[in-house]
Amino acid sequence: MPPSTPDAGPRFAVVGNPENRRVALFEDAVRAAGLPAPRIVPWTDVLHDPGADFADDELVRIDSPGENTEVDRLLRGAHDPTRVEGSARWYAGFVRAVRGLRGGVRLDDPDDLAVLFDKRLCHAVLDAAGVPVPASPTSGPQGTAVRGWDDVRALMREHRMPRLFVKPAHGSSASGVLAVESGGGGRIRATTSVELTADGRLFNSLKVRRYEREQDIAAVVDALAPDGLHLERWLPKASQDGRAADLRVVVVAGRATHAVVRTSRSPLTNLHLGGRRGDLATAREAVEAAGARWADLLGVCEQAAACFPRTLCVGVDLLPAVGWRRAAVGEVNAFGDLLPRLTGLPGSGAEGLDTYAAQVAAVLRDRAQHRSSTQNRNTPCLSRT
């Protein structure tokens, strides 16, 4: 652990994968602010020798452990990073590792991260705070446990959900997500990026595919169920240029700073699955033409982020309803800030800044406001552990 040097100005540290572009982009933002490059603590070190130590004045950013085969193996126990199964083990290892870090001033609260990476818990927290979310029978600790496809079928009937999303409770980047829709005559279809092999193994794929045989859908769900599943009603979404549309909105220190429209011909709008960026100005015009206020949609995202007041930045997936008048929150992502070259929204205070520079600027503002009391534990975005 480096010695504490409180008079040397703010110092950042990052727990991340050194080769990852997320770490590089954040490092660029820190340097651009005229500060020393952050100290990088590799996830491999944290997981091989559990824990890490930070000086009292180090500002510690937890970055994604993704896109590293060795880190994935240590967290999930899988030797093939394209496998879908193992998310429950990943979650347990990730939460244990984050809680094992010692010292420093955290930009990501360990308890917040534990909720953000459990879709059932996150849904319940949002719902209790009055954030509009899709209906879910699996929400919260008292939600219904899903043991397999038979349970999904029963919940579809019981809650009158002919169309729903089946999500791994601890998944990310749409891994393992199925958009399920049923029709008359027993017809059923699932849209997903999961590739089901002949021997029953599941692999992530960049190709979105459709399964129309119930036995195939059941095989996928039954294989995912041991890791925990979360079900949500499928809300019809607004469209742009004939494609389903939603928004990723980045909220930094409580304020919506960046937004991108994502469009797709499939229910999965993730950009890495073939979704493409839509036009934000057109989306805003559609909201206002419908008689709604753009600021109110951004306010929904800020309301969701306020459920995690000790975490500096989250990415909110906002689902605008058909007609663009209303919206619900589909996900809140701890590592949802990877939007390269996107600059801040007008009036956000992050104009001209990318998502990483906006976070550095927010931390520096916070420090300036609390310079006389650096041990303040009530700051809305810094956590001391």
Side-chain angles (χ1 to χ4, degrees):
M1 180 177 69
S4 178
T5 55
D7 295 328
R11 298 183 303 140
F12 287 91
V14 178
V15 179
N17 295 324
E19 76 285 357
N20 195 280
R21 58 178 174 162
R22 294 174 179 270
V23 172
L25 288 167
F26 186 75
E27 183 174 0
D28 289 346
V30 172
R31 288 182 180 275
L35 300 171
R39 181 169 71 98
I40 310 302
V41 179
W43 270 112
T44 49
D45 291 357
V46 171
L47 296 171
H48 277 298
D49 185 12
D53 293 290
F54 300 91
D56 289 345
D57 63 333
E58 277 189 297
L59 304 171
V60 183
R61 170 183 170 87
I62 309 298
D63 219 326
S64 171
E67 302 179 20
N68 182 293
T69 301
E70 175 64 7
V71 171
D72 187 69
R73 185 189 68 79
L74 291 168
L75 286 173
R76 288 198 306 130
H79 292 277
D80 185 341
T82 65
R83 291 294 297 272
V84 181
E85 306 94 326
S87 60
R89 177 170 172 171
W90 182 98
Y91 173 77
F94 172 75
V95 171
R96 183 168 56 248
V98 169
R99 288 180 170 156
L101 303 176
R102 299 173 291 271
V105 180
R106 305 300 172 80
L107 305 184
D108 313 86
D109 182 72
D111 291 338
D112 283 355
L113 291 173
V115 174
L116 288 165
F117 278 100
D118 188 321
K119 298 183 193 304
R120 300 161 300 189
L121 297 180
C122 187
H123 186 282
V125 167
L126 296 172
D127 194 30
V131 177
V133 288
S136 170
T138 57
S139 180
Q142 306 307 315
T144 303
V146 178
R147 297 160 296 183
W149 176 245
D150 288 344
D151 288 345
V152 173
R153 269 300 209 181
L155 289 168
M156 290 173 70
R157 290 190 297 269
E158 180 182 348
H159 294 270
R160 298 181 180 179
M161 292 193 302
R163 302 171 81 235
L164 79 164
F165 280 87
V166 179
K167 303 179 178 182
H170 311 297
S172 61
S173 302
S175 174
V177 172
L178 296 92
V180 178
E181 47 195 327
S182 58
R187 296 191 310 274
I188 194 149
R189 179 171 69 181
T191 304
T192 180
S193 63
V194 173
E195 178 184 356
L196 173 66
T197 64
D199 59 1
R201 293 179 298 163
L202 308 183
F203 291 87
N204 278 310
S205 169
L206 294 180
K207 177 184 177 182
V208 175
R209 64 198 71 218
R210 289 185 171 90
Y211 294 102
E212 297 186 347
R213 296 197 312 165
E214 185 160 1
Q215 66 239 52
D216 292 334
I217 300 170
V220 173
V221 172
D222 288 345
L224 292 173
D227 285 320
L229 291 174
H230 177 58
L231 311 185
E232 289 182 347
R233 185 179 298 278
W234 180 341
L235 301 180
K237 289 193 291 191
S239 63
Q240 187 176 101
D241 295 331
R243 298 162 62 91
D246 62 17
L247 293 94
R248 165 64 60 83
V249 179
V250 176
V251 182
V252 178
R255 190 164 190 180
T257 58
H258 298 73
V260 63
V261 178
R262 307 181 302 183
T263 71
S264 176
R265 297 198 182 280
S266 88
L268 307 177
T269 59
N270 301 70
L271 299 179
H272 72 287
L273 295 178
R276 69 187 186 204
R277 290 193 182 188
D279 187 80
L280 190 63
T282 300
R284 179 169 184 167
E285 290 168 4
V287 170
E288 293 171 347
R293 296 198 325 146
W294 176 249
D296 290 342
L297 263 68
L298 296 182
V300 171
C301 300
E302 293 174 350
Q303 184 185 5
C307 295
F308 308 97
R310 297 178 71 80
T311 292
L312 175 65
C313 176
V314 295
V316 179
D317 289 346
L318 190 69
L319 314 178
V322 173
W324 292 94
R325 277 188 66 85
R326 295 179 303 278
V329 171
E331 305 268 350
V332 182
N333 305 274
F335 304 133
D337 54 3
L338 183 60
L339 297 172
R341 299 178 299 281
L342 183 70
T343 54
L345 295 166
S348 68
E351 298 89 340
L353 303 177
D354 68 12
T355 58
Y356 299 97
Q359 292 171 65
V360 173
V363 170
L364 296 180
R365 285 196 303 270
D366 183 273
R367 285 177 61 87
Q369 292 167 5
H370 297 90
R371 193 175 302 278
S372 63
S373 179
T374 59
Q375 302 301 314
N376 187 339
R377 299 179 61 88
N378 297 317
T379 171
C381 61
L382 302 183
S383 173
R384 187 174 296 278
T385 301

